[in-house]
Amino acid sequence: MGGGSELPATGGASKRELLLCVLPWPEESFKKIWEDIAKEFPQYDLHYYETKADRGKIQLPEEVYKDVVILATLNWVPQSASLVPSLELVQFYSAGLNHLPDKSIYKDSEIPLATASGVHGPQIAEWVVMMNLVHSHDYTRFYDAQKRKEWLGFGGLNMRDQVGQRVGILGYGSIGRQVARVAKAMGSDVLAYTASPRHTPESRRDDGFIVPGTGDPDGSIPSKWYSGLDKESLHDFLKQELDLLVICVPLTKDTTHLLSSDEFAVLEKSNPLGTYVVNIARGAIIDQPVLVKALETKQIRGAALDVTDPEPLPQNDPLWTAPNVLITPHVSGSTTVYVERAFQILHENLRRRRDGKKFVNLVDRKRGY
C-alpha cells in the first residue's frame, strides 16, 4: 500500500476521504501526477495497491471497502456494491467496459462509472495508419525479400496513395476522431457512423477527454455522417464505396457480430477494388469465421486486426493463415504516456467533483458505454 497513511482516518471533523487506486503498474511510474493530486486535494487519503492485470480477486481490509469514496482501477471492482457504501465514482483506466455488465457494481448500483476514453486516440490512430500503409505499399513482401537479401527490383505500380480514398469510421468516438484527423491530413475523405443521429453542430462535439491538439473536437471533419442501430442504416453506410473501414465501436450485445456475411457482401458489391478492414475495438464485433472466408474469397482487400475472438488467438485458428491479414496482440493502445494520461482523467474528475460539475467520460449503463 502506498500514498498516505496505512489506513484512512476515522471519526471527527478531520476525517479525510479515501481515494483508492488498484492498478497493475508500479507507483513510481506515475509518481509526479500522484504528488500533484495529493497537493491539490489534501482532503484525500491516497492509497495504492499494485496488482497484476489478471488478478481480479484481491482482498482489501474492511475499512478500505467501507470508507472508499473514489476508486481508480483498470478492471478490478469489489465483488458487491454493498461492500462500498461511500463510493461516489469508479474511474476506470480502460476505454471498454464489456467485462463489467454482470458485475454487481454495474447492475446493482447507480455509482457513476467513468472510462479512460480519450487516452488511446494518438497511438491507435498511428497503428491504423501504419497497418494500412504496410498493406497498401506491399511492405511485407519487400521486408521478406530483405531478410532473404534479395533485391526485387522495380515495383510498386499497384500502390495507391491515400489521396481521395474514402475512409469509413464505424464508431466516431475519441479514437475514430483522431483516425479521421490523420486520414484527412493525408488527403482522404472521411465518413462517420454513430449509433445516434448527429444532425446539429452541438451534437457532433466531443465532450469527453481529449489529448490536446488531437481528434476532432467539433466534429467538423467528416464530409457525411451516418447513424442508426438497424441493419438498413448500417448497410447504407457500408455501401459508400469505402476504401478503408475502421471499426471503433464498443462491444455490447447490439454490436456482437455486427459485421457478418451480409455486411461483407455489401462491402464487396460497393467497392470492386476491395475494402481494407481494420479492427481496433473488440474481436467479437466481427463474426470471425465469416471474416476468414471473406479474406479467402477476396470479398475484402485485406484486414488489420489488433483484436481477435478469442484472445489470445489459438495457434490452430485459421485466422493466422488467412490471406492479406495482419495481426497484433491487442497492443495498439499501448504508449509510454498511457498511465499519465489516464491519471489526467482522474485528476479532472476530482476537480469536477469539487466544483459540483458533471464527471467526464461517464458511462451510460443502458447503452453499455
Side-chain angles (χ1 to χ4, degrees), residues 31-92:
K31 182 178 180 180
K32 176 62 169 60
I33 194 165
W34 191 242
E35 291 175 347
D36 290 343
I37 290 174
K39 184 177 180 180
E40 184 172 350
F41 297 95
Q43 68 269 36
Y44 290 112
D45 269 322
L46 307 180
H47 289 258
Y48 184 73
Y49 287 82
E50 181 182 346
T51 184
K52 299 297 182 183
D54 58 351
R55 288 182 59 200
K57 295 185 179 180
I58 67 169
Q59 293 297 320
L60 305 177
E62 181 180 348
E63 295 92 335
V64 172
Y65 285 114
K66 179 171 62 72
D67 291 336
V68 60
V69 175
I70 308 291
L71 169 63
T73 179
L74 182 64
N75 53 24
W76 177 87
V77 291
Q79 289 184 322
S80 172
S82 63
L83 294 173
V84 284
S86 302
L87 190 58
E88 295 185 14
L89 172 69
V90 182
Q91 176 64 65
F92 287 94

Side-chain angles (χ1 to χ4, degrees), residues 52-286:
K52 299 297 182 183
D54 58 351
R55 288 182 59 200
K57 295 185 179 180
I58 67 169
Q59 293 297 320
L60 305 177
E62 181 180 348
E63 295 92 335
V64 172
Y65 285 114
K66 179 171 62 72
D67 291 336
V68 60
V69 175
I70 308 291
L71 169 63
T73 179
L74 182 64
N75 53 24
W76 177 87
V77 291
Q79 289 184 322
S80 172
S82 63
L83 294 173
V84 284
S86 302
L87 190 58
E88 295 185 14
L89 172 69
V90 182
Q91 176 64 65
F92 287 94
Y93 280 34
S94 61
L97 298 184
N98 52 287
H99 64 286
L100 207 62
D102 292 333
K103 303 289 186 181
S104 173
I105 210 156
Y106 190 95
K107 64 181 183 178
D108 300 331
S109 82
E110 296 182 358
I111 298 169
L113 311 173
T115 72
S117 178
V119 307
H120 309 80
Q123 63 271 30
I124 291 185
E126 290 177 10
W127 184 94
V128 170
V129 171
M130 174 182 70
M131 299 303 257
N132 186 34
L133 294 181
V134 162
H135 175 78
S136 65
H137 286 254
D138 204 12
Y139 174 72
T140 55
R141 185 167 67 92
F142 292 107
Y143 182 61
D144 289 342
Q146 176 189 333
K147 290 187 288 185
R148 298 191 303 267
K149 300 179 182 178
E150 177 185 351
W151 186 270
L152 288 181
F154 185 72
L157 289 180
N158 292 327
M159 191 280 294
R160 180 185 171 194
D161 60 50
Q162 303 302 302
V163 177
Q165 293 210 35
R166 182 163 289 178
V167 178
I169 301 179
L170 184 59
Y172 203 64
S174 60
I175 295 171
R177 288 170 186 257
Q178 178 62 6
V179 173
R181 186 187 186 105
V182 178
K184 185 75 171 179
M186 297 177 73
S188 298
D189 179 32
V190 175
L191 307 181
Y193 189 94
T194 51
S196 55
R198 305 293 179 91
H199 296 312
T200 65
E202 185 60 31
S203 69
R204 296 184 177 187
R205 292 189 58 81
D206 184 359
D207 295 323
F209 175 81
I210 303 172
V211 176
T214 71
D216 180 19
D218 59 3
S220 62
I221 290 177
S223 62
K224 197 167 183 181
W225 207 296
Y226 296 80
S227 62
L229 294 172
D230 57 288
K231 269 205 167 191
E232 184 179 354
S233 297
L234 175 61
H235 289 185
D236 188 31
F237 169 68
L238 297 178
K239 66 174 63 169
Q240 300 306 311
E241 200 173 342
L242 303 178
D243 298 294
L244 173 64
L245 173 64
V246 185
I247 300 168
C248 303
V249 293
L251 179 61
T252 66
K253 182 177 65 175
D254 292 330
T255 62
T256 299
H257 290 182
L258 184 65
L259 295 185
S260 193
S261 301
D262 292 345
E263 288 66 45
F264 286 116
V266 171
L267 288 173
E268 180 184 29
K269 184 177 180 180
S270 169
N271 188 351
L273 296 177
T275 301
Y276 194 62
V277 177
V278 175
N279 189 5
I280 53 79
R282 291 293 185 269
I285 293 169
I286 298 179

